[in-house]
Amino acid sequence: MFYRLNPQLILLFFMAVKRSVSKVKKRATPERFYKKVVISFITLALILILFIVYFSVITVEVLITPEEKREKIQTIVDVLEGDVNTAPKDEHLFGVFVDVELDGDDVFNATGTALVNEEELGEVVLKNESNSDQPLVQVTRLSTQEGVTVRIDSNVVVPKNGQVRVGVYPHEDYETFFDEGKKIPAGTRLNIPGLSESRQLVVYAEVLNDLGYSGNEVAAVSEGDLTASSSALAEKLLQQALLQMKEEKGMTTNNALELFSHEVLSFESDAAVGEKTSSFNAKMKLHVFGVIINREHLLTFAKNRLTESLSEGKELSSIDEKTLNYSLDKLDLDAKTAHLAITLDGSSSLKVSSDLLEKQKIVGMNKRELVDYYSQFENIKRV
């Protein structure tokens, strides 16, 4: 809001006084002349006063609509060893550094399955396309092209230009293959590695029906079970370390912010992959290291840095706590120092005490000039 008095009105006033005086001089005696001059001057003075009062109460109102702008800060904060409940300093926060080794064990359920069947996998046909008999002893190996191997369960003689049936069971290296329910398809040719290469061309086996177990399924340890148990045990020990540290420092779950890493030093299970059991025991030795800080102090630090980053004429109107992100950028356990990379979003608005709102800067401007003047500034939506 500002006032404006037209200087041309004052000039018109004095010109009117001059003309009045000139007219009086031409047609009046000295006494009457001075009397009329005084009356004219007083009359015009009153008119001028009325003009001044009129223009003094006339005001021009400029309405400025501010606009909030999204702001973001990305910065680094140093963390030093100290009481996490102590208010942050200008350049750093205080934290608790953790560097411990923990041992633990737990029992886990097996979620895999295996087929239990004491019977043979099935039968194969041994064929001999030569002109001489071929004797084969029990446990003779038969292999697919991919290397899956079974053994025959009895001594046999394959007659020349003839064939004979024989039962087979899994080779010890391929028991897991069949326990997992896998099979060798019917019609598959099986070579006999114990024979010479030339003899293998004429003496071989052929699968009659799919070779595989068809018994009942039972629980067994899978590779995924061991992986899951390792992760679960590591998390259990990590939480154990955090809880212990919080209790020692008198921190609550709400204000404690943990930035931890861990390294599995050893992991053992009393069951192997494929072992038929409903549960198994696993134990682990874990190295836990990192730092615990006060979340409220970190938020305050980030907020202050965001405020300091604003240009002149702006002020922080709000922050979005959900956008507070942090990560451990550097950790020195020997020196007990850390660097955290943090980001925070907020909104800024036009500062009420801003120089942009001073009346002296806009006195005498018309509407177009006002709009052009304020359009160059941030946080102003319209004028």
Side-chain angles (χ1 to χ4, degrees):
M1 182 179 292
F2 60 91
Y3 314 108
R4 183 167 59 186
L5 184 61
N6 195 333
Q8 293 180 350
L9 295 176
I10 300 176
L11 180 61
L12 290 175
F13 167 74
F14 286 107
M15 292 177 65
V17 171
K18 184 177 180 181
R19 286 196 298 269
S20 299
V21 171
S22 298
K23 291 178 181 179
V24 172
K25 283 182 178 180
K26 294 178 181 178
R27 61 174 183 241
T29 61
E31 293 81 2
R32 293 180 63 189
F33 165 73
Y34 289 113
K35 181 178 179 181
K36 289 187 176 183
V37 167
V38 172
I39 294 173
S40 298
F41 183 82
I42 293 174
T43 301
L44 292 173
L46 289 174
I47 294 173
L48 178 60
I49 291 173
L50 290 175
F51 269 105
I52 293 175
V53 172
Y54 173 76
F55 284 104
S56 295
V57 297
I58 293 298
T59 62
V60 176
E61 186 175 281
V62 179
L63 181 62
I64 298 175
T65 303
E67 180 180 27
E68 288 195 341
K69 293 286 186 180
R70 196 72 173 171
E71 306 288 350
K72 186 182 186 73
I73 184 68
Q74 293 179 322
T75 187
I76 298 291
V77 56
D78 294 330
V79 180
L80 306 181
E81 175 78 2
D83 184 0
V84 293
N85 295 315
T86 300
K89 301 298 183 181
D90 290 339
E91 300 299 330
H92 62 265
L93 304 177
F94 294 108
V96 177
F97 289 82
V98 179
D99 184 15
V100 297
E101 292 184 3
L102 301 171
D103 294 286
D105 63 275
D106 208 344
V107 177
F108 301 91
N109 293 326
T111 62
T113 58
L115 291 172
V116 177
N117 196 324
E118 300 301 332
E119 300 176 1
E120 299 172 342
L121 295 173
E123 287 187 329
V124 298
V125 176
L126 292 171
K127 295 184 177 183
N128 183 357
E129 298 175 350
S130 70
N131 293 321
S132 60
D133 295 341
Q134 177 64 59
L136 296 173
V137 299
Q138 185 181 6
V139 307
T140 295
R141 293 173 296 146
L142 308 177
S143 298
T144 67
Q145 188 175 0
E146 294 77 20
V148 179
T149 304
V150 296
R151 294 182 185 274
I152 64 174
D153 63 1
S154 60
N155 297 327
V156 295
V157 176
V158 186
K160 60 182 179 181
N161 298 312
Q163 60 184 32
V164 64
R165 289 191 179 195
V166 66
V168 295
Y169 62 92
H171 184 282
E172 53 273 17
D173 292 340
Y174 291 91
E175 289 179 353
T176 301
F177 176 88
F178 293 103
D179 284 342
E180 291 175 349
K182 298 177 181 178
K183 297 183 179 183
I184 300 176
T188 302
R189 175 171 173 147
L190 304 177
N191 295 321
I192 305 175
L195 300 179
S196 65
E197 291 186 4
S198 60
R199 193 65 176 163
Q200 289 182 44
L201 296 176
V202 293
V203 181
Y204 57 90
E206 189 175 288
V207 177
L208 290 174
N209 298 302
D210 292 350
L211 286 183
Y213 286 134
S214 59
N216 298 323
E217 286 189 348
V218 295
V221 177
S222 68
E223 189 168 346
D225 289 334
L226 295 183
T227 301
S229 64
S230 175
S231 298
L233 198 49
E235 182 63 23
K236 176 184 176 181
L237 294 176
L238 180 60
Q239 293 304 320
Q240 180 181 320
L242 292 177
L243 181 61
Q244 178 182 340
M245 224 21 104
K246 289 176 185 177
E247 290 177 347
E248 289 179 0
K249 301 301 178 180
M251 299 189 72
T252 65
T253 303
N254 293 332
N255 66 6
L257 190 63
E258 312 94 5
L259 296 102
F260 274 25
S261 295
H262 66 272
E263 177 187 6
V264 177
L265 300 178
S266 64
F267 174 77
E268 297 177 7
S269 169
D270 64 359
V273 174
E275 187 168 333
K276 301 176 182 68
T277 179
S278 60
S279 62
F280 62 96
N281 183 273
K283 60 181 180 179
M284 174 181 287
K285 186 171 186 179
L286 191 71
H287 179 207
V288 179
F289 52 94
V291 61
I292 304 176
I293 61 175
N294 190 304
R295 186 182 187 281
E296 292 301 321
H297 292 172
L298 179 64
L299 184 62
T300 299
F301 183 92
K303 180 180 178 181
N304 291 340
R305 286 291 182 269
L306 183 56
T307 301
E308 294 169 3
S309 70
L310 299 180
S311 58
E312 186 179 358
K314 290 184 178 182
E315 62 181 0
L316 189 65
S317 56
S318 65
I319 60 171
D320 187 354
E321 293 189 22
K322 293 180 180 179
T323 64
L324 177 64
N325 290 316
Y326 45 85
S327 61
L328 194 57
D329 185 59
K330 183 179 178 181
L331 177 67
D332 189 336
L333 294 173
D334 294 328
K336 297 235 183 332
T337 59
H339 294 169
L340 302 186
I342 58 175
T343 62
L344 179 67
D345 292 355
S347 298
S348 68
S349 59
L350 187 67
K351 188 182 294 185
V352 176
S353 59
S354 173
D355 292 341
L356 301 177
L357 303 179
E358 291 185 3
K359 293 180 293 186
Q360 294 83 350
K361 294 185 176 183
I362 57 177
V363 169
M365 292 185 181
N366 57 37
K367 182 178 180 180
R368 183 70 261 168
E369 291 171 336
L370 285 170
V371 172
D372 291 342
Y373 174 73
Y374 282 114
S375 64
Q376 62 182 310
F377 301 108
E378 291 186 282
N379 295 94
I380 294 180
K381 188 174 183 179
R382 61 175 179 270
V383 178

